[in-house]
Amino acid sequence: MSASQRFHGPSDLHLHSVHSDGTDSAAGVLAAAQRHGVRTVALTDHDTTAGWAEAAEAAGSLGVTFFPGMELSAKHEWRSVHVLAYLFDPEDSMLRVLTDRIRASRWDRARLMADRIARDFDVTWDDILAQTSDGATVGRPHIADALVARGLVTDRTQAFADILSPAGEYYVALYAPDPVTAVRLITEAGGVAIVAHPAGRAGLLPMPIIEQMLDAGLAGFELGHRENLPAASGILRRLCRSRDLIVTGSSDYHGRGKPNQPGEYTTTDDMVARLIERGSGTAPIYA
Ligand code: AMP
Ligand code: FE
Ligand code: FE
Ligand code: ZN
């Protein structure tokens, strides 16, 4: 039986571990997904593949399929764009140089934000380090956790709405490639690029940028995601239908970091099969 003819579902293709801003270990993410009835689980930590080996190992004993992934940071003008990358070669040198640069920039940026915040709040760089696993892709969620630990906010949501807001005085931008470059490098690494939560509060990317991303190899959109809003989702759904693009649905689970639960959105078997047919850099690890 070929991979594309298998039954995969329920498939949840967007989850985070402590290798970025989730709160579960990589194996713990797969276990949480399995407890929620998910059979095919992608790990999509921000800008890193560091959790893949542990996840691949855990998949066998849990009886779930591990689907290798990553959520690559990109930026169009001021707005952050997240591009999900699946089944790419984790050794691809262009992608590695890029993700190394993004992760390094994230550390510089976290330090700058910490310095600014420390002027007004009783929180130190060590508090932030204490919330961050070794080698993790650091982000505002770790700063949020330090603020929670100090009792300065109640949870990540409150931290993001206030102290960590891009509109606030403490925010510092991180380095990230433009979304067309992000898609091109993922595709050249044998991967499949899907725009994460494409219809959220920031609104749709301009159509000319979406067209350039499609020309660079963009495969589709994550239309099933709790942050997508109906009007913009409808526009993208029509685009996906007319261009025969891949449509995914996923939870964006972050452990205790967000309310999102594994399996709250899923991807259909035929779409999982199309991702597998299109990806050439690595393969899923079947249970
Ligand atoms: P950063 O990439 O460091 O700018 O931080 C953005 C990350 O923070 C995203 O990947 C989200 O997962 C997370 N995030 C954004 N808003 C919230 C929120 N309100 N509550 C919890 N996590 C959030
Ligand atoms: Fe995140
Ligand atoms: Fe995201
Ligand atoms: Zn995510």
Side-chain angles (χ1 to χ4, degrees), residues 252-276:
D252 206 356
Y253 176 70
H254 280 68
R256 285 174 281 103
K258 280 188 174 182
N260 312 32
Q261 292 303 306
E264 66 176 35
Y265 285 91
T266 55
T267 301
T268 62
D269 272 10
D270 59 318
M271 291 297 174
V272 173
R274 285 179 63 181
L275 289 167
I276 294 168

Side-chain angles (χ1 to χ4, degrees), residues 14 16 46 71 197 252 254:
H14 183 168
H16 295 264
H46 298 283
E71 187 173 13
H197 40 76
D252 206 356
H254 280 68

Side-chain angles (χ1 to χ4, degrees), residues 86-189:
Y86 296 111
L87 305 177
F88 57 95
D89 174 7
E91 305 297 335
D92 179 83
S93 60
M94 296 293 282
L95 211 44
R96 286 195 76 130
V97 167
L98 178 69
T99 50
D100 286 352
R101 180 171 174 198
I102 298 170
R103 290 201 314 276
S105 146
R106 283 173 159 285
W107 279 102
D108 296 341
R109 173 266 202 152
R111 184 79 212 218
L112 288 169
M113 285 190 69
D115 290 346
R116 291 187 183 186
I117 293 167
R119 285 185 214 137
D120 292 337
F121 298 95
D122 186 20
V123 63
T124 66
W125 180 238
D126 280 344
D127 292 334
I128 295 162
L129 287 180
Q131 299 296 332
T132 312
S133 302
D134 276 351
T137 302
V138 72
R140 283 180 290 158
H142 302 100
I143 306 177
D145 291 346
L147 294 167
V148 173
R150 283 275 178 176
L152 296 164
V153 294
T154 55
D155 55 16
R156 283 187 180 183
T157 305
Q158 194 194 346
F160 270 88
D162 182 10
I163 300 173
L164 302 178
S165 161
E169 60 187 299
Y170 309 111
Y171 186 81
V172 178
L174 54 97
Y175 161 77
D178 70 85
V180 179
T181 301
V183 167
R184 183 171 55 76
L185 292 183
I186 291 164
T187 308
E188 286 174 0

Side-chain angles (χ1 to χ4, degrees), residues 10 31-38 253 261-263:
Q34 189 233 32
R35 282 198 304 277
H36 281 79
V38 176
Y253 176 70
Q261 292 303 306

Side-chain angles (χ1 to χ4, degrees), residues 201-212:
R201 274 196 313 169
L204 290 181
L205 278 167
M207 273 305 158
I209 301 294
I210 290 180
E211 291 293 349
Q212 288 176 44

